[in-house]
Amino acid sequence: MKTVNAPSDKITRADTEKMDGNDPIAHLRDRFILPDGDIYLDGNSLGALPHGVMERLEVAVKEEWAHGLIRSWNDADWYPAPQRAGAAISRLIGADKDEVIVCDSISVNLYKLLVGALRMRPDRKIIVSEIGNFPTDVYINAEVAKMMGCELRCVIPEEVEQAIDEAGDNLALVQLTHIHYKSGRVYDMAGITKRTQDLGGLVIWDLAHSAGTYPVQLNGCNADFAVGCGYKYLNGGPGAPAFVFVARRHFETMNQPLVGWHGHAEPFAFTQEYKPHPTIDQMLTGTASQLATLALEAALEVFKDVDMNVLRQKNMALGDLFISLVEQELGDMGFTLASPREAERRGSQVSLTHEEGYAIMQAVIARGVVGDFRAPDILRFGFAAPYVRYVDIWDSVAHIREVMESGEWDQQKFKEKRAVT
Ligand SMILES: *Cc1c(COP(=O)(O)O)cnc(C)c1O
């Protein structure tokens, strides 16, 4: 790929078309239904709709629900859908098939893991996390710390390792988001996991921006626990259930607090006493949101034979191209790069800051280039490698340039904040 920035050797639109011609996973785009004319750069918030999902839901509703009714839990294999979807995700995150299950939201699963993990380290009182972690992670960490009589130490990313070392033999738990939702910065999963475990602590990784974008190696890093999102890069649809990973060695010792009948060793024995299921099924609480689980399962077909290393190469290249074009085309327009410059340290998104970021993003969205805005001043562009093309990056930057040069962003209608940004 061309990364030369000298004015004499500018990147052209034709260059980006050539990159698409050489893209080994360009065909994956055909697996999605995408709105004509739009350039969708927000797969990091809500993934696009894969072909096959509507069809699967139609069968699930019209046949399995309408006609099969209660029989469909068995006859249509509804009941094991959380395990099947978990198994499909496991390959993408370097886990065994039976160490991952789909249920609830990240927030709820994080609660289960935090309490469960702290119960495994009753004599240790410190939880280390990051200032600026995703809000749900921060809120739940803080609440669980309070409830369990622990101290939550949130530090800036550069000080995480030091905070781990300082906690020493009082370190119970480290909870981090592998790829940051705003900056896209990537943590060293293997290094932090080992550092924590050498001190006797446990780690919970949030893979919201990693699953489906990055060749995560949970078992390769000896990870303890993880959660991740179904509706972002896994394309499971709005509010799709999340997934949860527990390393097999913790199945016996981990006791999560949201005990419900679906996590019971024998859910249909209807016993008085709770007895946790000996497998990953113990992470379940109540009945699955079945239609949503089936939608996610169908969406995961997209990734069936995808080599995650190849996909990762593409999203790094898309990000590099975007940054080079921002420098080439928007150099003096007040944008600052808010993501790491080196692709290896950056996830599947590039964030820019600009003091008029909100209005600029609304004006760009009005032109059909859909990114998003994160307070206070971040314009976020997500590059879901299965469906974003190199030429889309060229066209997006051209739109941003036009919005800036014409002053199009500077209108009242683009400055009014809406409920969801
Ligand atoms: C999107 C996201 C979540 C979402 O949590 P839900 O409870 O599933 O809505 C959590 N953590 C991070 C880091 C995220 O990016």
Side-chain angles (χ1 to χ4, degrees):
M1 169 190 150
K2 218 165 171 182
T3 50
V4 190
N5 290 321
S8 58
D9 198 9
K10 280 192 166 186
I11 303 166
T12 64
R13 191 172 193 278
D15 291 334
T16 63
E17 285 173 335
K18 211 177 292 167
M19 290 173 191
D20 284 319
N22 294 329
D23 174 7
I25 55 169
H27 61 281
L28 292 181
R29 184 174 163 88
D30 298 335
R31 298 189 185 172
F32 290 87
I33 297 171
L34 293 159
D36 279 342
D38 282 355
I39 298 175
Y40 192 60
L41 304 180
D42 212 0
N44 46 304
S45 255
L46 175 63
L49 172 64
H51 282 288
V53 174
M54 267 195 272
E55 292 81 351
R56 178 68 190 94
L57 283 177
E58 191 167 11
V59 170
V61 173
K62 284 193 181 165
E63 295 173 22
E64 297 169 3
W65 179 11
H67 296 284
L69 288 166
I70 191 81
R71 291 164 291 200
S72 288
W73 286 105
N74 289 316
D75 296 350
D77 261 340
W78 279 359
Y79 189 62
Q83 289 82 352
R84 282 198 308 269
I89 293 167
S90 67
R91 190 182 70 81
L92 309 180
I93 55 174
D96 287 349
K97 280 190 162 55
D98 58 351
E99 291 176 309
V100 183
I101 198 157
V102 161
C103 57
D104 304 316
S105 60
I106 288 189
S107 308
V108 172
N109 288 320
L110 196 55
Y111 180 86
K112 296 176 200 168
L113 289 182
L114 279 162
V115 176
L118 287 173
R119 285 173 170 173
M120 292 168 64
R121 295 289 183 273
D123 301 328
R124 293 167 168 247
K125 295 295 169 203
I126 295 172
I127 304 171
V128 172
S129 189
E130 181 194 330
I131 293 176
N133 200 346
F134 191 85
T136 216
D137 300 52
V138 177
Y139 305 153
I140 291 177
N141 282 331
E143 190 60 27
V144 170
K146 200 162 58 174
M147 195 178 85
M148 303 286 287
C150 292
E151 179 194 342
L152 175 63
R153 292 189 181 166
C154 289
V155 297
I156 58 172
E158 295 72 25
E159 290 173 4
V160 164
E161 295 181 348
Q162 192 189 331
I164 290 171
D165 294 347
E166 279 172 12
D169 58 10
N170 207 7
L171 178 68
L173 207 57
V174 174
Q175 197 280 310
L176 292 170
T177 299
H178 177 229
I179 299 180
H180 196 270
Y181 78 105
K182 275 190 193 171
S183 68
R185 189 214 53 247
V186 183
Y187 272 114
D188 169 12
M189 180 179 283
I192 287 176
T193 301
K194 179 166 190 317
R195 201 177 193 100
T196 304
Q197 291 172 347
D198 283 350
L199 289 168
L202 298 161
V203 188
I204 302 175
W205 289 103
D206 184 334
L207 304 179
H209 294 271
S210 314
T213 71
Y214 191 98
V216 178
Q217 295 296 336
L218 284 175
N219 284 334
C221 297
N222 197 41
D224 297 297
F225 307 106
V227 291
C229 192
Y231 55 79
K232 291 174 179 155
Y233 292 103
L234 298 182
N235 311 302
F243 66 85
V244 54
F245 159 86
V246 175
R248 186 188 321 284
R249 64 183 178 281
H250 297 318
F251 282 178
E252 286 238 343
T253 38
M254 154 90 177
N255 282 297
Q256 64 99 350
L258 290 183
V259 294
W261 66 309
H262 279 251
H264 194 281
E266 295 174 276
F268 291 90
F270 295 102
T271 58
Q272 184 71 17
E273 298 282 313
Y274 183 77
K275 185 169 160 232
H277 203 284
T279 71
I280 190 71
D281 294 17
Q282 67 188 278
M283 294 310 294
L284 298 176
T285 298
T287 309
S289 176
Q290 195 63 29
L291 295 175
T293 308
L294 295 174
L296 173 58
E297 186 186 9
L300 288 166
E301 285 289 309
V302 164
F303 287 98
K304 211 162 181 189
D305 351 284
V306 176
D307 179 335
M308 290 306 292
N309 291 303
V310 173
L311 189 143
R312 170 68 177 148
Q313 289 304 317
K314 182 176 174 187
N315 69 43
M316 289 195 293
L318 290 167
D320 281 342
L321 174 65
F322 181 79
I323 293 170
S324 296
L325 285 172
V326 167
E327 287 166 351
Q328 176 181 306
E329 303 290 319
L330 313 176
D332 53 359
M333 293 178 176
F335 292 98
T336 308
L337 182 64
S339 299
R341 183 72 175 80
E342 311 92 292
E344 296 288 341
R345 294 182 47 229
R346 193 178 67 224
S348 193
Q349 68 182 64
V350 173
S351 298
L352 305 176
T353 56
H354 193 289
E355 54 181 19
E356 295 294 346
Y358 183 80
I360 294 167
M361 183 54 89
Q362 304 321 305
V364 171
I365 292 172
R367 283 168 167 256
V369 178
V370 184
D372 65 19
F373 173 82
R374 286 290 172 267
D377 58 359
I378 288 194
L379 298 101
R380 202 166 60 149
F381 300 92
F383 307 124
Y387 52 84
V388 174
R389 297 169 298 194
Y390 292 95
V391 74
D392 294 331
I393 304 293
W394 172 273
D395 290 340
S396 303
V397 175
H399 277 294
I400 300 170
R401 185 185 165 120
E402 284 172 29
V403 159
M404 298 309 292
E405 279 178 348
S406 64
E408 192 173 310
W409 61 271
D410 192 8
Q411 301 179 59
Q412 194 49 37
K413 65 176 178 185
F414 293 139
K415 297 182 183 176
E416 282 154 18
K417 294 255 164 84
R418 304 183 65 192
V420 177
T421 65

